[in-house]
Amino acid sequence: MTEPAPVAHFALPDGRRIAYRHRRGARATIVFLPGYKSDMGGSKAQVVWEWAQLRGSGCLLFDYSGCGQSEGRFADGTLSRWCDEARMLINHCAPGRVVLVGSSMGGWLMLLLAHALGPRAAALLGIAAAPDFTDWGYGDADKAALAAGQVVLQDNPYGPEPTPTHPGFWADGQTVLQLTGPIGFAGPVRLLHGQADADVPWAVALRLAAALCSADVQINLIKDGDHRLSRDGDIALLLATLAGLVEGIA
């Protein structure tokens, strides 16, 4: 296993510091976007980092504000805020073209970032991508509670503490929905999704593919794959898919 780069910190205009790891390399820089309440220490982020090191590819990992080693309160986090943080960090570390890899919520964020970065976004890779989950992921009672300013707690299958959704995050998500109209990204897109995913229905991948303007969209459905897609076979598929995207960028 290769040694990770030391954690550096990027200062935002308001003084908060975002923790990140970055290595320069050939071709486009791979940017990994973690899921909700996840961070750059996750297994898939680390696998992508190690793969990039072995291949000599550029790679950028980071923690959203209020997550992992970054400063701030998780309760203040929104998709719009995290998108702005990512855009500024990418501009600082990797001013050239990037391949955006989004896991779960990160798959929603990669769509927002692709729009913000314009032609610098060379390709997208979604892993159980969850765009618009503030819309389809909550029942009417929870939506009413969030709209009234209440925090909603949901069962967490990955840990002992319930998963909170803060009203600010939910309200912001409702303003940046992507599946309601055309998504103006024209580059290659690859979507990996487990059909045994209990958190994000695999039909979301079909809706996302239909909404994308790109003609180069491929969906790979893993019949027995769960939401994490972290088994050895899942990881091998992820890396093979990533290799195809990176090698296809001029």
Side-chain angles (χ1 to χ4, degrees):
M1 181 178 295
T2 54
E3 289 296 323
V7 174
H9 290 86
F10 174 68
L12 298 169
D14 65 2
R16 282 175 301 126
R17 299 194 310 153
I18 299 299
Y20 71 95
R21 288 189 170 103
H22 174 238
R23 59 161 279 118
R24 298 187 183 278
R27 303 184 187 238
T29 298
I30 301 161
V31 180
F32 190 90
L33 305 167
Y36 190 75
K37 284 192 74 66
S38 188
D39 56 49
M40 61 179 168
S43 60
K44 288 188 287 293
Q46 293 304 306
V47 164
V48 168
W49 176 270
E50 291 164 11
W51 181 88
Q53 281 193 310
L54 292 173
R55 302 275 301 218
S57 297
C59 190
L60 175 62
L61 308 181
F62 70 101
D63 293 338
Y64 310 124
S65 62
C67 301
Q69 300 179 64
S70 289
E71 296 176 351
R73 297 196 318 147
F74 181 77
D76 296 330
T78 66
L79 284 155
S80 295
R81 167 177 274 204
W82 291 336
C83 181
D84 284 343
E85 294 171 0
R87 176 184 54 80
M88 288 186 282
L89 181 59
I90 291 169
N91 288 342
H92 174 70
C93 293
R97 303 189 80 196
V98 297
V99 174
L100 301 175
V101 180
S103 176
S104 193
M105 182 201 73
W108 188 354
L109 190 59
M110 79 178 179
L111 302 174
L112 304 179
L113 261 178
H115 176 74
L117 295 172
R120 289 177 54 205
L124 308 180
L125 171 52
I127 310 163
D132 297 13
F133 72 82
T134 55
D135 187 37
W136 51 258
Y138 296 84
D140 290 341
D142 284 343
K143 287 181 178 180
L146 289 160
Q150 301 173 32
V151 177
V152 167
L153 300 177
Q154 295 180 310
D155 290 338
N156 177 12
Y158 309 112
E161 298 296 327
T163 300
T165 301
H166 295 274
F169 177 90
W170 179 82
D172 176 78
Q174 294 299 90
T175 70
V176 293
L177 298 177
Q178 298 293 293
L179 301 179
T180 55
I183 300 171
F185 180 78
V189 182
R190 304 292 180 262
L191 303 173
L192 310 180
H193 213 114
Q195 290 186 283
D197 188 334
D199 298 309
V200 183
W202 59 269
V204 172
L206 304 183
R207 293 179 62 194
L208 175 53
L212 284 157
C213 292
S214 173
D216 185 5
V217 180
Q218 297 177 18
I219 304 174
N220 200 319
L221 296 176
I222 301 93
K223 186 173 182 178
D224 62 346
D226 61 11
H227 184 62
R228 286 188 165 183
L229 289 180
S230 58
R231 301 168 302 179
D232 290 347
D234 302 328
I235 294 300
L237 176 61
L238 164 61
L239 296 180
T241 305
L242 182 59
L245 285 176
V246 172
E247 291 169 3
I249 296 170

